Each structure stands twice: as structure tokens, then as C-alpha cells.
């Protein structure tokens, strides 16, 4: 027991050894929350308070789940394979597989990743003759997922107007299409599980009795439905409810656009009557100046639960800030700094360049390429998202579930086999007429189109027959050969890389079956009888049959179905993966959960970071500030920030004011790399900062240096123009009757106006 606890600080020890009651752990960035979570699980098991099967641990990424399982295996001599530790989606998938009949799903239901979901929606709109310009597919997808994240079916969504009513109608039709094809999207996994447990009391009570300890990572990122799901699983409000150990950081809640509700933390504290709130404030990642910048910045947010990070690592180096005249100069400065770091012996993979918008990477990439510095941009396709892999997976999906129309359409004519648009149109008409899947409708298509389609059906059925007793890895190889994918890419000029990826798919299948507890010779297809033998069935007093929670995934899914689910869930995991000996480029959102020795935060300008949209949304600026807090706390040893007077974005040159966040950073933690005087009185400083403060602070010298007494105007003055609206004076030149001002009018851009002619009004 002492060995288990000896590396914990006082705060961590208090959290790990809490009594069996619901608790909220405020875990600051770099405070060792993963250690606390895994040690808490190990301590509960080792002290005999719970068996491994009585633990339910929820993470937000597959990477985090694997990390917890690896650490637990190292801590204790237990088999972690059957433990319920995973993402919300992964755990819901597992539960639905065990109870697919009660959930109203086929045994071989398949998961749509975001790409597949969008394709399914486009197909629906086309089949219903809906104008996809008036009702954009991506907007409909956001609408559907947003409703599901709130736990709402189409019938529950209020339609405020005809446009909204059409979206509700399409949502209902989309649900019907998915049910007919035996597929579910990510949001459906949670909603279907929640509905199943809500209406099935014996099943719900079984899991409530089993999981007496529920642990949740990244609690600040839960959406409304996930929070309801947790309340249901824990039996919240009941006398014998489970103990929920929620770990999160409200200062790092940055996914409101995905439905995350930071208010869930306060709601949890209130509704679960939390008596134990522990703050993990000891930071093991960053030096003092970096933490000072983060702490003082985030203190500007209201409604925080409140904490202050500290470190024993010393102050370290100050945060370096650079002002450039253009984004090109900014990129060149980053190149110089990176070269300097590499010359000092820093690894390229431990240096990250972060930006608010993906559009900023173009200039950075060009500069890095020209400087011959290897770099890796996160945001590219993951392995399971690559076109050639999606094609191979679609063949496997169709073999596992013949009703999957999305998979059918992806590969029916790939590689090309003479099945054109007219043939598919005939097939879709037949499927509508007979209310069946495209696969089942093939016999109803006559003529040449029917012959071509039948040839494809024979290909699929032949592959199913040939692989029925083969293990998964051999099945994948047979499908790659029989489908013609390998031959197709052999004839492509740049097909070698695609073939290498397809061969890697065979390796991925081999690794998967061994990790999930299947024998390497287990057939890829497992019939219902084989699955019944593999699982341990329990019949409750109410006659409900339940697969024992100790049973691993192999007990309730065939290797093929499990592998296909794994592929979809991996494609949906959106956290960046650091690696390769290359400079790391990514958005701040993607960087959450990662850390680097040196971090560059670029484009710190008003309208970019904080983003211009944040001003239009309630709490938008506070979310941007949390995003900035996340960016700062990615850095261990050195932190660089940069902003630019002009930037080319979306084909237009933007004239910028520096981000308001600079006014919220402690001066003693900042080192201006441009001349200090230029930075203090930058011609594009934020108007609500130094300029407004100068007269009040008594520093009249500043105001005199940057104003024209003879004109009555000063830099930083807010003004209004009859044509251009409100703007800010960013520079003044000349004097007397020839005084001119550079004024940033926002959407109208920068204007040079003669002050003796322009009819400007001062705005307080």
C-alpha cells in the first residue's frame, strides 16, 4: 500500500484516499490527474472496497483510456482486459452490443464516423429531392448531433419556423434511414444507451448495483446528455447511489462548440451534494513565469470554481513576446527561434507552434519548407480516415452488414466495374419501391445494369464464403485481393504509399485481435451460438438476460464487428498525437492534453485570438480566454507569443490590433523581444488598455507623445464616421491642417483620412 501511495503529494493523497462518496477534484494543468485517477482505482481495489468489475471509468480519448489501463497493469497484478474503462462512446458501444435486442439494433450494427455520417445525410437529401444549398448537409448534421447531445429525438425538438421545421423532418427521416440500414452515429451511441437504461429498470438497476464506483476524467467537457447518462448510471438521488469521482478543470473547458457545458461542474457539486472538493494546484509541467501568466490571465474570467497553479521548478525564463509587421515576418522570426533552439540541442518534436485557426498554417508551412525544417501538421487525415483505408473498411462493413447502404455505395463501383450513375439510380428506385437495402434490391434491376450489379453481389458473397472460417487478419488480406484494391493502386502513379497503408491494415487487424483477447486463429465471423458460449450470461429475477460486465469485448462481438467499431471510434478521436522528429504544428484545440518543452502561440490579435465570433456569443470571450490558458499551459520550459500588424487571411489583408490578452498578463513574466518603447505604445495596441489608462494613471507623457494637440485627436481614440461606422485611430501623421489619421474601421478595413476634411465624431 505504501508503494502505491508514496509518490503522491498531499493534495493527490487526499483525493486518492477519499471515502466512498461523490467528490469533485479540480485538477489544474500538469497537476497529475491521470496519476490520481489510476491510483484511486488501484487503491479501491487493493483495499477491498471494490472488485475490478465494479469500476466504471470514463475518459474523453482512446489514448487516455489506454494510458490508464497500461498504468493499472503496472501497478497491480490484475487482468485489465475486462474492466470498463474507456470513452463515453466506447463504453456505450460495448453496452449496446450486449443488449442490442433491447436497444432495437441488429447484432452487427455499425458505427458511422463523421465522414460517413455526412455522406449518409447527403444521400438522404438527394433521395428526398431536397435543395442542399438551402439545407446544407453539414448544417443538418450539426443540427441532428446538437439535438441528440441534448437527449432530444425529432419529435421532442421545437420547430420555431418553416426552415427549422424542415430540419426536424429531415432529422426524423435520417433516423429512419439509419435504423433501416443498421447503423448508428456517435451521438446515437449515447442517446440509444440513455434511452435503453431509462426505460429498462432491471437492466438499469443491474448496472447501478455493479458499478459502485464511477470515475470521470475531463468532467468539464461533458455535454448535457453525458451528464444525464452519468446521473442515470450512478442512481443519483437514490439512497444507495454510486460514488462518482469527477476530475476536471473548468479553466480548460474549450469545447462549447461541440456541446460541452462547463456548468455541469457546478451542477454536479450541487446535485450530488459534494462534500469533498479537492484542488490539485501543484504543477509538475511548467516553470513559474509560464504559470504566473496563466494564473493571472484566467483570473479575469467570472464564475470560476477557482484555483491557482504553483510549481517548485523555479521561475524559469520569461515569456518572450514578438511584434511583427506582417505574418511573413512573424513566420521568419519563428524560423529563427526554432533554429536557435535546435542549435541548443532541443528536439524538434518537443517544439510546438500553435494557432487559433487552421488558415494560419499556410504561411508557417511555406517558411518551414523553405528553411528545410521538418514539420508535422496535425489536422491531416488519421489512418482510418485515409481514402484507401475507408474503401477497404467499406468492403468489410458490407460483408458484416449487407444493409449498410453507405458502405455499398462507396465500393459498388470502386475500383470501377462499369456501374454508372444510371444503374445506381435504377437500384435506388427499386430499393425505395420495395423498402429494402440497396444490396437486397439488386435482383429487381434488369438489363445491363442488373448484370453489372449482380457481378458485384457475387464478388461480395464469394468473399464472405471464402473467409467464413478465416481469422480477421487473413480475411482482410483476402478482401484486399478479391476487391481489386491492390491491383487498382498498383496501376496508379503514386499508388505505392496507398498499397503500403493497405498492407498496414492487415497488421492493424493482427494487433487488434491480440489486444482484445481473441485468439489469432479465431474466425472473423462469430455466429450467435459462438458468442453465447464466449459470454457469461446472467438472468435476473425479472427474467432479463444480461452479459456479465466482467466479460471482455470478445464475449459480445465477433472479431470483425469489433474491429470495424474500433476503426470508427478511432477515426472519431480528435486529440492530436505528438511524435516524429519534426516540429509540431496544430490548433490550440488540438493541443489540449499535450505538452512540449517549447511552445509558440501565434496570431495573438483582436478578431483572431480572441476570435471575432466570440464577441457575438454569450460567454464567448471567456471561452477564448480559457483557450488561451490551455495554450499557455502546454509549455514546459519556454513560451513564445507573437502578433502581427498585418496578416493575409482568406485572400484579404487584415490590419490588426494586438490581443486584449496581453493586457491581462503580468509585466514581470513578459520579455518583449521588439524594442520596449515600441511595444508599450504599439500603433495597434488594444484601445481599451494602455491608451485609455494613460491619462488616468498620470502618465501624461505617453499621451503627449502619441497625440496631436493641434488636431485634438490621439492614437487609440475611438471615433465614428458617417459611412464607415465606428473605428480606432491607430496612427497619426503630419500636423496642422494636413494632419491625417490611419483608422481601422473593422469590416471596412484601414482608411487614411484627412482630419481637416473627414467628419469624425469622438466616441467615449
Amino acid at each position: 500500500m505504501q508503494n502505491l501511495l508514496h509518490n503522491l503529494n498531499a493534495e493527490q493523497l487526499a483525493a486518492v484516499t477519499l471515502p466512498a462518496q461523490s467528490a469533485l477534484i479540480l485538477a489544474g494543468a500538469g497537476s497529475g490527474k491521470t496519476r490520481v485517477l489510476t491510483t484511486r482505482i488501484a487503491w479501491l481495489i487493493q483495499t477491498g472496497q471494490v472488485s475490478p468489475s465494479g469500476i466504471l471509468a470514463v475518459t474523453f480519448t482512446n489514448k487516455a483510456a489506454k494510458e490508464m489501463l497500461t498504468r493499472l497493469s503496472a501497478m497491480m497484478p490484475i487482468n485489465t482486459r475486462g474492466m470498463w474503462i474507456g470513452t463515453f462512446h466506447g463504453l456505450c458501444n460495448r453496452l449496446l452490443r450486449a443488449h442490442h435486442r433491447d436497444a432495437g439494433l441488429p447484432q452487427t450494427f455499425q458505427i458511422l464516423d463523421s465522414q460517413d455520417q455526412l455522406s449518409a445525410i447527403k444521400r438522404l437529401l438527394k433521395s428526398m429531392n431536397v435543395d442542399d444549398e438551402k439545407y446544407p448537409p453539414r448544417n443538418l448534421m450539426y443540427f441532428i448531433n446538437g439535438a441528440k447531445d441534448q437527449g432530444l429525438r425529432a419529435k421532442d425538438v421545437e420547430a420555431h419556423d418553416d426552415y427549422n421545421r424542415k430540419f426536424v423532418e429531415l432529422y426524423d427521416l435520417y433516423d429512419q434511414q439509419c435504423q433501416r440500414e443498421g447503423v448508428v452515429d456517435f451521438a446515437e451511441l449515447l442517446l440509444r444507451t440513455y434511452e435503453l437504461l431509462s426505460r429498462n429498470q432491471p437492466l438499469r438497476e443491474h448496472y447501478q448495483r455493479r458499478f459502485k464506483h464511477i470515475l470521470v476524467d475531463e468532467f468539464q467537457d461533458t455535454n448535457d446528455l453525458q451528464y444525464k447518462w452519468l446521473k442515470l448510471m450512478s442512481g443519483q438521488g437514490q439512497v444507495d447511489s454510486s460514488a462518482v469521482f469527477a476530475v476536471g478543470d473548468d479553466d480548460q473547458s474549450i469545447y462549447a462548440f461541440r456541446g460541452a457545458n462547463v456548468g455541469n461542474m457546478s451542477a454536479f457539486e450541487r446535485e450530488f451534494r459534494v462534500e469533498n472538493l479537492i484542488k490539485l494546484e501543484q504543477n509538475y509541467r511548467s516553470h513559474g513565469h509560464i504559470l504566473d501568466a496563466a494564473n493571472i490571465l484566467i483570473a479575469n474570467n467570472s464564475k470560476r470554481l477557482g484555483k491557482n497553479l504553483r510549481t517548485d521548478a523555479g521561475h524559469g525564463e520569461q515569456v518572450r513576446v514578438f511584434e511583427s509587421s506582417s505574418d511573413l515576418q512573424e513566420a521568419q522570426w519563428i524560423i529563427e527561434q526554432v533554429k536557435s533552439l535546435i542549435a541548443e540541442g532541443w528536439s524538434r518534436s518537443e517544439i510546438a507552434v500553435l494557432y487559433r485557426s487552421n488558415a494560419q498554417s499556410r504561411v508557417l508551412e511555406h517558411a518551414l519548407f523553405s528553411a528545410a525544417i521538418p514539420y508535422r501538421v496535425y489536422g491531416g487525415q488519421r489512418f482510418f480516415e485515409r481514402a484507401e483505408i475507408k474503401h477497404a473498411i467499406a468492403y468489410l462493413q458490407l460483408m458484416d452488414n449487407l444493409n449498410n447502404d453507405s458502405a455499398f455505395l462507396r465500393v459498388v463501383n470502386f475500383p470501377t466495374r462499369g456501374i454508372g450513375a444510371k444503374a445506381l439510380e435504377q437500384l435506388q428506385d427499386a430499393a425505395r419501391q420495395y423498402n429494402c437495402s440497396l444490396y437486397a434490391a439488386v435482383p429487381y434491376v434488369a438489363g445491363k445494369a442488373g448484370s453489372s450489379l449482380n457481378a458485384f453481389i457475387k464478388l461480395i458473397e464469394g468473399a464472405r464464403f471464402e473467409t467464413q472460417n478465416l481469422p480477421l487478419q487473413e480475411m482482410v488480406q483476402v478482401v484486399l485481393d478479391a476487391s481489386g484494391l491492390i491491383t487498382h493502386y498498383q496501376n496508379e502513379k503514386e499508388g505505392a504509399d496507398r498499397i503500403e497503408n493497405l498492407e498496414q491494415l492487415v497488421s492493424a487487424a493482427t494487433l487488434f485481435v491480440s489486444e482484445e483477447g481473441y485468439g489469432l486463429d479465431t474466425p472473423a465471423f462469430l455466429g450467435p451460438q459462438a458468442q453465447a458460449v464466449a459470454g457469461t450470461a446472467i438472468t435476473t429475477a425479472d427474467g432479463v438476460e444480461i452479459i456479465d460486465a466482467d466479460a471482455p469485448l470478445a464475449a459480445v462481438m465477433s472479431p470483425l464487428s469489433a474491429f470495424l467499431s474500433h476503426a470508427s471510434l478511432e477515426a472519431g478521436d480528435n486529440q492530436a498525437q505528438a511524435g516524429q522528429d519534426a516540429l509540431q504544428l496544430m490548433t490550440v484545440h488540438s493541443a489540449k492534453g499535450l505538452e512540449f518543452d517549447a511552445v509558440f502561440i501565434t496570431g495573438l490579435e483582436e478578431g483572431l485570438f480572441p476570435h471575432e465570433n466570440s464577441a457575438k456569443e454569450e460567454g464567448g470571450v471567456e471561452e477564448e480566454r480559457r483557450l488561451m490558458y490551455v495554450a499557455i499551459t502546454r509549455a514546459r520550459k519556454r513560451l513564445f507569443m507573437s502578433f502581427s500588424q498585418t496578416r493575409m487571411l482568406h485572400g484579404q489583408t487584415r490590419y490588426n490590433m494586438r490581443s486584449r490578452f496581453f493586457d491581462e498578463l503580468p509585466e514581470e513574466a513578459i520579455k518583449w523581444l521588439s524594442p520596449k518603447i515600441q511595444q508599450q505604445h504599439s500603433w495597434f495596441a488594444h484601445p481599451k488598455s494602455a491608451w485609455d489608462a494613460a491619462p488616468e494613471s498620470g502618465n501624461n507623457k505617453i499621451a503627449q507623445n502619441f497625440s496631436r494637440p493641434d488636431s485634438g485627436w490621439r492614437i487609440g481614440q475611438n471615433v465614428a464616421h458617417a459611412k464607415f461606422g465606428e473605428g480606432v485611430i491607430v496612427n497619426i501623421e503630419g500636423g496642422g491642417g494636413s494632419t491625417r489619421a490611419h483608422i481601422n474601421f473593422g469590416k471596412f478595413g484601414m482608411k487614411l483620412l484627412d482630419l481637416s476634411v473627414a467628419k469624425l465624431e469622438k466616441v467615449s
Side-chain angles (χ1 to χ4, degrees):
M1 183 63 66
Q2 292 303 316
N3 289 338
L4 192 66
L5 305 177
H6 80 282
N7 280 328
L8 303 177
N9 64 34
E11 298 159 345
Q12 293 171 336
L13 180 63
V16 166
T17 57
L18 280 172
Q21 298 173 334
S22 291
L24 180 59
I25 313 300
L26 279 184
S31 63
K33 68 180 178 64
T34 305
R35 172 187 290 180
V36 167
L37 277 163
T38 50
T39 310
R40 170 72 173 176
I41 294 172
W43 182 77
L44 287 170
I45 295 171
Q46 198 168 84
T47 54
Q49 297 183 57
V50 67
S51 67
S53 64
I55 293 285
L56 178 68
V58 190
T59 66
F60 266 79
T61 65
N62 296 308
K63 176 187 172 186
K66 289 173 184 173
E67 175 70 14
M68 286 181 68
L69 288 167
T70 300
R71 291 198 191 189
L72 276 171
S73 295
M75 286 179 173
M76 304 180 71
I78 59 171
N79 182 1
T80 60
R81 184 170 284 150
M83 294 185 70
W84 284 58
I85 297 178
T87 63
F88 275 104
H89 297 113
L91 293 170
C92 287
N93 172 54
R94 182 170 178 175
L95 196 145
L96 290 174
R97 296 291 173 181
H99 311 290
H100 63 91
R101 290 189 191 88
D102 293 320
L105 290 169
Q107 186 175 23
T108 57
F109 76 82
Q110 291 170 355
I111 303 169
L112 299 175
D113 63 27
S114 55
Q115 287 183 36
D116 293 334
Q117 184 186 15
L118 187 59
S119 297
I121 287 173
K122 289 178 179 177
R123 180 159 46 84
L124 172 70
L125 295 178
K126 187 175 181 181
S127 70
M128 301 303 297
N129 295 315
V130 175
D131 184 352
D132 62 4
E133 290 190 5
K134 185 176 181 181
Y135 301 98
R138 196 171 293 277
N139 289 5
L140 177 57
M141 183 171 77
Y142 294 151
F143 176 84
I144 291 170
N145 292 342
K148 289 186 178 184
D149 285 344
Q150 296 177 61
L152 303 175
R153 289 291 179 195
K155 62 181 175 58
D156 305 315
V157 179
E158 290 186 26
H160 304 293
D161 51 45
D162 289 342
Y163 188 82
N164 193 253
R165 195 170 291 110
K166 186 65 175 179
F167 265 37
V168 172
E169 177 191 336
L170 291 168
Y171 173 15
D172 187 43
L173 291 170
Y174 166 78
D175 262 0
Q176 293 177 37
Q177 174 180 289
C178 289
Q179 186 67 29
R180 187 169 58 249
E181 297 178 14
V183 296
V184 299
D185 54 48
F186 287 142
E188 182 70 19
L189 285 169
L190 261 96
L191 181 54
R192 187 72 67 113
T193 305
Y194 179 75
E195 290 172 339
L196 170 64
L197 294 174
S198 295
R199 68 172 180 264
N200 193 321
Q201 183 179 347
L203 195 65
R204 179 175 69 251
E205 290 177 348
H206 167 78
Y207 283 110
Q208 287 173 346
R209 284 193 301 269
R210 175 173 291 278
F211 299 127
K212 299 311 294 181
H213 287 272
I214 300 176
L215 300 93
V216 190
D217 191 12
E218 304 287 6
F219 194 82
Q220 77 280 351
D221 292 333
T222 53
N223 62 32
D224 293 344
L225 182 57
Q226 287 165 342
Y227 183 49
K228 288 179 183 177
W229 187 91
L230 287 166
K231 290 201 288 186
L232 199 63
M233 287 291 281
S234 67
Q236 181 262 332
Q238 299 175 15
V239 176
D240 60 343
S241 62
S242 304
V244 179
F245 188 84
V247 181
D249 183 0
D250 55 331
D251 291 334
Q252 294 190 72
S253 180
I254 60 173
Y255 295 122
F257 67 96
R258 286 193 210 144
N261 183 359
V262 66
N264 285 345
M265 295 189 76
S266 297
F268 173 78
E269 187 179 9
R270 181 179 65 256
E271 294 176 2
F272 281 74
R273 299 179 181 178
V274 171
E275 298 177 8
N276 299 300
L277 190 152
I278 294 178
K279 299 179 182 181
L280 304 183
E281 298 177 302
Q282 179 72 40
N283 179 280
Y284 294 96
R285 177 187 301 164
S286 308
H287 285 160
H289 281 313
I290 294 171
L291 293 184
D292 289 344
N295 286 330
I296 292 175
L297 172 89
I298 202 63
N300 288 277
N301 271 6
S302 60
K303 299 178 183 177
R304 295 175 62 225
L305 293 172
K307 65 182 182 322
N308 207 53
L309 298 178
R310 64 180 187 275
T311 181
D312 294 332
H315 287 299
E317 299 189 28
Q318 291 174 299
V319 178
R320 294 162 166 83
V321 179
F322 180 74
E323 171 187 346
S324 63
S325 61
S326 69
D327 49 353
L328 296 175
Q329 187 187 45
E330 178 188 53
Q332 195 54 48
W333 171 74
I334 291 172
I335 297 296
E336 292 169 3
Q337 297 301 313
V338 167
K339 284 182 175 178
S340 177
L341 290 171
I342 293 171
E344 290 179 38
W346 294 53
S347 168
R348 286 188 291 260
S349 63
E350 287 299 337
I351 305 172
V353 180
L354 310 183
Y355 35 79
R356 177 64 181 83
S357 165
N358 274 313
Q360 294 170 247
S361 75
R362 180 189 59 82
V363 171
L364 293 166
E365 287 188 70
H366 178 75
L368 289 166
F369 180 80
S370 301
I373 296 176
Y375 66 91
R376 177 180 183 268
V377 180
Y378 175 75
Q381 290 183 316
R382 289 173 170 272
F383 178 75
F384 286 111
E385 293 173 337
R386 293 169 182 162
E388 62 275 17
I389 300 301
K390 294 284 283 183
H391 288 316
I393 290 292
Y395 275 104
L396 295 169
Q397 286 175 328
L398 193 57
M399 292 171 67
D400 194 42
N401 175 9
L402 299 176
N403 293 323
N404 188 333
D405 285 356
S406 292
F408 183 97
L409 287 171
R410 176 178 277 275
V411 297
V412 66
N413 197 41
F414 191 92
T416 54
R417 46 179 64 92
I419 301 173
K422 190 172 181 181
L424 291 176
E425 191 176 323
Q426 288 179 253
L427 179 63
Q428 288 168 326
D429 288 342
R432 277 192 294 271
Q433 181 181 347
Y434 293 99
N435 192 30
C436 63
S437 68
L438 296 176
Y439 194 97
V442 168
Y444 300 112
V445 180
K448 184 181 177 183
S451 299
S452 299
L453 288 165
N454 270 298
F456 174 68
I457 295 299
K458 287 179 181 177
L459 185 154
I460 297 299
E461 290 178 348
R464 279 169 63 90
F465 178 78
E466 188 178 348
T467 60
Q468 61 183 337
N469 292 314
L470 291 181
L472 181 64
Q473 61 275 19
E474 292 182 30
M475 178 189 195
V476 173
Q477 187 62 64
V478 169
V479 169
L480 294 179
D481 294 331
S483 64
L485 287 173
I486 296 292
T487 304
H488 171 78
Y489 289 121
Q490 282 174 341
N491 297 325
E492 270 196 358
K493 185 181 291 186
E494 299 178 359
D497 287 344
R498 295 187 185 274
I499 291 173
E500 188 176 326
N501 287 334
L502 289 173
E503 291 170 346
Q504 187 62 31
L505 185 63
V506 180
S507 301
T510 305
L511 180 63
F512 176 80
V513 294
S514 63
E515 285 185 341
E516 292 300 329
Y518 297 99
L520 289 175
D521 56 350
T522 303
F525 288 113
L526 279 180
Q529 286 185 335
Q531 291 195 43
V533 172
T536 305
I538 297 174
T539 302
T540 68
D542 302 85
V544 179
E545 187 178 88
I546 298 170
I547 297 294
D548 195 307
D550 284 331
L553 201 61
V556 292
M557 296 178 73
S558 71
L560 176 58
S561 292
F563 182 61
L564 293 174
S565 295
H566 165 74
S568 295
L569 292 170
E570 280 289 324
D573 205 343
N574 44 45
Q575 186 186 37
Q577 304 287 335
Q580 300 179 265
D581 188 22
L583 192 71
Q584 308 288 306
L585 271 64
M586 65 190 74
T587 64
V588 182
H589 280 103
S590 298
K592 188 170 180 292
L594 301 179
E595 57 186 79
F596 304 90
D597 285 339
V599 170
F600 292 81
I601 308 174
T602 65
L604 280 164
E605 298 128 28
E606 283 294 303
L608 186 55
F609 201 175
H611 196 275
E612 57 194 352
N613 291 344
S614 65
K616 307 170 189 173
E617 302 163 359
E618 185 179 353
V621 173
E622 293 213 349
E623 173 114 348
E624 291 289 301
R625 190 174 286 110
R626 291 194 293 267
L627 192 59
M628 180 65 174
Y629 177 83
V630 167
I632 291 172
T633 54
R634 298 312 93 198
R636 296 190 193 105
K637 300 174 183 176
R638 288 193 195 170
L639 178 61
F640 303 81
M641 299 178 183
S642 60
F643 59 108
S644 178
Q645 296 171 6
T646 62
R647 184 177 302 278
M648 177 71 77
L649 276 179
H650 312 299
Q652 294 184 325
T653 299
R654 297 168 52 140
Y655 295 84
N656 310 305
M657 294 181 288
R658 78 182 192 190
S659 172
R660 71 188 69 189
F661 295 148
F662 283 112
D663 303 320
E664 300 172 359
L665 299 177
E667 271 295 321
E668 60 274 12
I670 304 298
K671 180 179 182 180
W672 300 94
L673 298 186
S674 300
K676 179 80 171 178
I677 187 67
Q678 179 188 355
Q679 292 299 335
Q680 276 190 331
H681 318 309
S682 166
W683 63 268
F684 65 120
H686 192 267
K688 293 182 180 178
S689 55
W691 300 115
D692 290 344
E696 297 174 16
S697 65
N699 194 350
N700 294 321
K701 187 175 181 181
I702 294 178
Q704 291 168 4
N705 285 344
F706 289 87
S707 64
R708 299 289 182 186
D710 54 346
S711 69
W713 303 98
R714 64 180 178 82
I715 292 175
Q717 175 70 56
N718 292 325
V719 298
H721 186 272
K723 180 178 179 181
F724 304 123
E726 291 193 9
V728 178
I729 297 176
V730 295
N731 196 23
I732 297 175
E733 58 186 48
S738 60
T739 304
R740 297 186 301 174
H742 293 262
I743 305 175
N744 189 341
F745 285 105
K747 68 177 182 178
F748 288 101
M750 190 71 69
K751 304 293 180 184
L752 179 61
L753 300 181
D754 187 329
L755 293 179
S756 65
V757 176
K759 295 180 179 180
L760 294 177
E761 293 182 11
K762 294 181 180 180
V763 178
S764 60

